[in-house]
Amino acid sequence: MSLATATRSHYTQTIWSLVVRDIRVLVSRWVMFLVRVISQPILIVFVLAYVFPKIGQGIGGNAAAEAKFSTLLVAGVVGISIITQGIQAVALPLVQEFSFTREIEDRVLAPVPIWGVATAKIISGALQALIAALVVFIVSIFIPATTVHLSVNWPLVLTIIPIAAVLSGALGLAIGTIVPPTQVAFIFAIILLPMTFLGAVYYPWTSLGTIPWLKWAVLINPLIYINEGLRAALTTGIPHMNLYGVYGGLIGFFLLLVFIGIRGFKNRVIS
Amino acid sequence: MVAPDLGPQNLAIEVKDLVKTYPGSIAAVRGVSFSIPRGSVYGLLGPNGAGKTTTFGMITTRVIPTSGTVLINGINVVAKPAQAKSFLGVVPQSNTLDRSPSVRENLTFHGRYFGMTSKEARTKADQLLVQFRLQERAAAPVGALSGGMAQRLMVARAVMHSPTILVLDEPTTGLDPQSRLALWEILRELNAAGQTILLSTHYMDEADELCEKIAIMDHGQVLALDTPAALKRSYAKQARISLDLQGADPGLAEMLAEALPGTTIGFVGSQLTISTDDPTDLLPMLVKELVAMDIGYRNLSVRQGSLESVFLALTGRDLRE
């Protein structure tokens, strides 16, 4: 084995050990993990797709439109749960580990370059996002009052969900390194709320044609590409962004956020 | 893991002309050099703000030097930080234990980061828990540990992967005296087993007690580096005798000065202090004079040159200022 190969496998082992640490912590708190993963999607699906139709306030007006709404909402809540994991599993713990507890220091001293420690954070965020996506997918099919009509396009599902998951991990890393500990509320007010409300969760992005400025402005929101991609992957008959746009947006934002996140991580731990 | 090529040289660490200037501020470290042979215990002694932590930051790859080099096992820490980190065991100034896993897992995860197998990590962790008297707390969360226990766990974690050099930044600051002594004992044991140690402290007695050599730092520079004994010989030659002479005549100081040549005598309140190069001969003479003059004395003490006076001689100020 050459020295370069040995170094690579040694980096891989260390990075994987850092991921295992995060997963181990997650498993030991699996109840809390499940609660935080499903609370928001359950409430969205329950109120919009169960309570609204039951009280005669169903979105769309008739039964067919209500079923269509429940169906398009599946992609939206799965998308929300993926992107929220990035913030809950990576950004919030990082803000704390950088500042009050300095817990990150022992991992920063692990024998890998700093990007390796940052990459481990992205991977563990992505794994948690994948689990969240699966849990929420199941929940969002069974809660609505009307039947949900899904038609799964596996090649799209198996590419879009993993890319969305690593994008979420990278977003969490970027936010976690940028936001100072005194400004955690800022994450919710300025990032999470606008992202989810304007992230094509409750309506397909293409339907924004009547508000052109908004249709283009929301493209800075990575959740748009996740939800549009999931809509293409899980439903038929609901319009979605063209797939070049979806993959381009997902990969573009992933690379941008990895760059910002790793650079931010280095700035936080090296002076 | 690939066995490190240690080469012919016998230095665990070599620090050359190290400088760190933070943007927009004064230089934190201004040209520090020292090298530590394998198996020794070195100390950086200086007040807060002397540049000790910044120097440690550069040694442990966390601070990038403005200029100068740090070699660990001959490996440049700036060029190859990942490799350098594999040789380092670090105990930082504040508690950086992982709050989520248990005490034992803090050790096993650390071992895994450093390439140990699960089995190796578990075996070594159990051995260290016994050695550091933490076995009863193995399954506890780290939040349940006392300050002294947390500090012992930090040291155990740092030596978990058998580092070439153990670096401790003010390891006993904030510890109660008993925990402090316990930690000294652990450091002595580690060193007896061959561990190279570099520690920083602002406690004179700690440096004196533990270190083979001490670098005295102030304002980002090493002012002197030698064994505690040599430092005292060079910079704190004089011993100081002090005694309490209740109700003595102020003119006594002059009379004693005549009787005891080669000394400096001060008399403030009832406190008489005599500085001298050699207290051995002086003491009997002093006592004889006092008896002859029929003057009673109390609380007689002799202090040999201390690191405190070394620091005072080098910097012109007290370490506690």
Side-chain angles (χ1 to χ4, degrees), chain A residues 45-263:
Chain A
V45 176
F46 179 69
V47 172
L48 298 185
Y50 181 83
V51 176
F52 272 26
K54 290 278 182 195
I55 62 173
Q57 205 178 306
I59 293 172
N62 56 50
E66 281 168 10
K68 188 180 168 192
F69 177 72
S70 300
T71 305
L72 80 85
L73 200 55
V74 172
V77 291
V78 171
I80 277 196
S81 61
I82 291 178
I83 213 77
T84 308
Q85 278 318 298
I87 291 168
Q88 290 182 339
V90 183
L92 296 179
L94 262 186
V95 168
Q96 185 182 322
E97 289 178 354
F98 277 137
S99 54
F100 318 116
T101 66
R102 308 245 193 109
E103 282 167 277
I104 198 75
E105 281 194 21
D106 186 50
R107 279 164 271 162
V108 166
L109 290 169
V112 278
I114 296 301
W115 60 255
V117 185
T119 303
K121 278 282 167 203
I122 297 179
I123 297 172
S124 60
L127 289 174
Q128 299 186 44
L130 284 179
I131 302 171
L134 184 68
V135 171
V136 170
F137 179 66
I138 295 166
V139 166
S140 67
I141 291 173
F142 290 108
I143 289 184
T146 52
T147 320
V148 169
H149 302 285
L150 297 181
S151 62
V152 178
N153 177 335
W154 286 107
L156 288 184
V157 168
L158 293 179
T159 48
I160 285 169
I161 291 186
I163 301 175
V166 289
L167 166 61
S168 165
L171 176 73
L173 181 71
I175 294 173
T177 55
I178 291 169
V179 176
T182 49
Q183 302 295 328
V184 177
F186 166 93
I187 296 180
F188 296 94
I190 309 288
I191 302 172
L192 197 56
L193 281 177
M195 262 182 85
T196 51
F197 273 93
L198 299 171
V201 175
Y202 314 102
Y203 46 82
W205 173 72
T206 45
S207 65
L208 286 179
T210 50
I211 320 170
W213 66 267
L214 185 62
K215 186 175 178 184
W216 299 110
V218 295
L219 289 180
I220 58 161
N221 181 354
L223 184 56
I224 292 282
Y225 307 93
I226 297 177
N227 284 340
E228 288 297 300
L230 287 171
R231 220 152 264 147
L234 297 174
T235 59
T236 47
I238 295 173
H240 57 79
M241 182 189 282
N242 108 25
L243 287 176
Y244 290 110
V246 168
Y247 283 104
L250 287 175
I251 294 169
F253 268 104
F254 169 65
L255 294 176
L256 176 70
L257 291 167
V258 165
F259 174 76
I260 295 174
I262 291 184
R263 206 185 54 168

Side-chain angles (χ1 to χ4, degrees), chain B residues 298-317:
Chain B
R298 285 187 301 182
N299 299 338
L300 185 137
S301 70
V302 182
R303 281 181 68 190
Q304 292 288 351
S306 68
L307 282 176
E308 254 136 355
S309 33
V310 173
F311 192 83
L312 191 64
L314 283 165
T315 65
R317 63 203 179 93

Side-chain angles (χ1 to χ4, degrees), chain B residues 90-138:
Chain B
V90 183
V91 179
Q93 225 176 82
S94 54
N95 179 338
T96 63
L97 292 169
D98 201 339
R99 262 71 156 179
S100 308
S102 68
V103 166
R104 184 167 183 262
E105 282 173 330
N106 261 271
L107 299 179
T108 51
F109 279 129
H110 182 93
R112 298 287 285 143
Y113 304 158
F114 281 79
M116 297 168 87
T117 64
S118 299
K119 189 162 178 266
E120 284 170 348
R122 284 198 304 267
T123 311
K124 183 76 183 275
D126 289 338
Q127 181 197 323
L128 287 174
L129 287 171
V130 173
Q131 185 183 346
F132 287 71
R133 297 190 309 286
L134 290 164
Q135 69 270 36
E136 279 161 25
R137 298 303 188 98

Side-chain angles (χ1 to χ4, degrees), chain B residues 216-235:
Chain B
I216 294 187
M217 276 192 87
D218 197 23
H219 299 304
Q221 286 176 307
V222 172
L223 304 175
L225 188 149
D226 216 324
T227 61
L231 285 172
K232 289 177 204 163
R233 269 201 307 278
S234 317
Y235 299 100

Side-chain angles (χ1 to χ4, degrees), chain B residues 9-16 18 33-40 42 55-56 58-60 69-75 77 87-88 164-167 196-198:
Chain B
Q9 48 113 7
N10 195 33
L11 293 177
I13 184 168
E14 249 186 299
V15 175
K16 273 188 224 148
L18 211 50
S33 300
F34 56 85
S35 49
I36 307 179
R38 266 171 227 297
S40 358
Y42 271 47
T55 302
F56 275 15
M58 289 189 273
I59 290 171
T60 57
T69 52
V70 178
L71 304 181
I72 294 171
N73 277 340
I75 299 293
V77 299
F87 299 135
L88 284 166
T164 303
I165 179 163
L166 173 63
V167 180
T196 312
I197 297 174
L198 171 62

